[in-house]
Amino acid sequence: MIDRHTISTLLGSTSFKNLVGVGMELKPYELALLMLRALDNSEEYGYIVMGVSKLINNYAVDGLSFATKDLAKEPIATALSLISFELEVEYENIEIYGKNVFVIKIKNSHEDLSMNFIRNLDSQEAFVKNLVVACLTLQARKHYSNTNEDQRNDYIGDILGAIGYTIKDQTRRGSSSSGKDSGELDIFVSKDGLPFTVIEAMNLSSLSTNYINEHLDKIFSYDTSGNKFNVCLSYVKIADFNSFWERYSAHVANYDYTAPLLSSDTSIDDEYGYSELRLMKTNHSRSGRTVSLYHICVRIH
């Protein structure tokens, strides 16, 4: 429960380190940063108060809509997933001086808190790491154990968008496998208004090579600009995951791609060392340039 008297007292001075007062902020990445600021002290709880403005010695209560509480639910959940340790939070509308403010109360874990993600939107390596962490976060959420591909893609896209990437899901671009109609990409990522990478995802319960081949072909067909790298992401629900990975990695290392295969590299998997998430990279020749395709298989429990 959030105590109104406590909030009123904290707003009475700018010297309290466990309170961060802002006008309004519902962007997940920025919310996560505010949470870290509110917990960067030895107090038992940290607070974010929205609907106030900082003065020299105290905070002015400006107020905001009661609807903020409903609007904040998903951004707060996404913000929490960006932080390195699981935090206990509660949030509520509180009346202060006759005006509504929105308060997030966070229990201090006294851990060395940090962001799970790399804030480097230009780096190919940083993107792959951020995507891996997003997959690990999805993997840990029981809600996604039996959901469909679109729901899993939405979650991955939301996490990447929260970090700062520009995300479009199921974007209609390129040509379909039949060559007749425009097709759909699962997740299309752009940077500075230009294509950055494509993520093509699929649910797998076995090594269905024909189905996998369709998706491998789809990536190069729909990536009309020829990105430096793209991603084939598989949500795998299978008992013997290691055996699946051995057969999958052998298959994609020997497949006859539309963009000729130059080499395959599984050393990236050793860099991460997870047993329930595996990855490799294949390199391809495309119009005189070498492009890469990352293969990520995440086991869904």
Side-chain angles (χ1 to χ4, degrees):
M1 183 175 183
I2 302 175
D3 181 62
R4 186 172 67 86
H5 177 72
T6 298
I7 302 303
S8 181
T9 300
L10 291 172
L11 290 173
S13 172
T14 56
S15 63
F16 295 109
K17 301 301 182 184
N18 64 328
L19 181 136
V20 180
V22 294
M24 176 74 165
E25 183 55 74
L26 293 180
K27 296 178 182 177
Y29 190 88
E30 303 304 328
L31 270 178
L33 293 177
L34 293 175
M35 290 177 183
L36 296 184
R37 280 178 55 194
L39 296 177
D40 189 19
N41 56 77
S42 59
E43 298 296 328
E44 183 179 6
Y45 293 98
Y47 299 88
I48 300 170
V49 180
M50 298 184 192
V52 302
S53 53
K54 190 174 183 179
L55 304 178
I56 296 175
N57 298 314
N58 62 348
Y59 289 87
V61 178
D62 305 315
L64 41 64
S65 169
F66 285 96
T68 303
K69 179 180 177 180
D70 294 329
L71 296 173
K73 182 178 180 179
E74 288 302 321
I76 289 174
T78 303
L80 290 170
S81 70
L82 302 179
I83 298 174
S84 56
F85 285 87
E86 186 173 350
L87 298 174
E88 295 180 27
V89 303
E90 56 182 305
Y91 49 89
E92 190 56 80
N93 289 318
I94 300 289
E95 183 181 308
I96 302 291
Y97 308 139
K99 295 181 180 180
N100 179 63
V101 297
F102 178 67
V103 181
I104 304 173
K105 179 182 178 181
I106 315 134
K107 185 174 177 61
N108 205 332
S109 67
H110 302 296
E111 300 281 358
D112 184 16
L113 298 174
S114 62
M115 300 292 278
N116 277 329
F117 298 86
I118 301 173
R119 186 70 163 179
N120 179 355
L121 304 185
D122 297 325
S123 166
Q124 174 177 320
E125 290 74 19
F127 180 86
V128 173
K129 180 177 181 180
N130 288 336
L131 177 56
V132 166
V133 178
C135 288
L136 292 172
T137 306
L138 176 141
Q139 187 183 57
R141 290 177 173 255
K142 297 300 182 184
H143 171 76
Y144 293 98
S145 178
N146 295 301
T147 54
N148 60 37
E149 177 190 313
D150 286 344
Q151 290 172 305
R152 291 168 179 164
N153 289 343
D154 286 346
Y155 181 81
I156 296 295
D158 287 345
I159 293 293
L160 295 175
I163 298 169
Y165 298 103
T166 302
I167 305 295
K168 294 182 180 179
D169 59 353
Q170 294 186 337
T171 306
R172 301 193 66 79
R173 291 170 60 90
S175 58
S176 69
S177 58
S178 67
K180 296 179 180 179
D181 300 314
S182 179
E184 291 184 348
L185 296 174
D186 286 325
I187 303 175
F188 174 72
V189 185
S190 63
K191 183 173 68 69
D192 301 326
L194 299 174
F196 185 57
T197 191
V198 164
I199 302 173
E200 178 61 22
M202 53 185 157
N203 282 347
L204 292 174
S205 58
S206 66
L207 190 74
S208 176
T209 54
N210 289 336
Y211 184 64
I212 292 170
N213 295 346
E214 289 177 6
H215 284 262
L216 295 176
D217 291 343
K218 181 179 175 182
I219 292 172
F220 291 105
S221 175
Y222 291 13
D223 170 22
T224 54
S225 57
N227 298 330
K228 291 182 179 179
F229 75 102
N230 292 313
V231 180
C232 184
L233 172 60
S234 299
Y235 309 113
V236 182
K237 198 158 189 178
I238 194 168
D240 191 347
F241 183 65
N242 183 59
S243 175
F244 168 86
W245 172 249
E246 289 178 351
R247 291 181 291 126
Y248 176 91
S249 57
H251 176 72
V252 300
N254 292 282
Y255 182 60
D256 184 17
Y257 294 86
T258 56
L261 179 70
L262 298 176
S263 63
S264 61
D265 180 13
T266 58
S267 64
I268 187 174
D269 189 51
D270 297 329
E271 295 177 21
Y272 289 91
Y274 297 111
S275 62
E276 308 302 290
L277 183 148
R278 311 299 291 271
L279 63 166
M280 66 179 289
K281 179 171 68 170
T282 52
N283 297 310
H284 305 263
S285 175
R286 189 167 185 186
S287 299
R289 293 186 182 275
T290 299
V291 299
S292 298
L293 177 61
Y294 289 89
H295 304 260
I296 301 177
C297 292
V298 53
R299 185 180 183 186
I300 303 297
H301 298 279

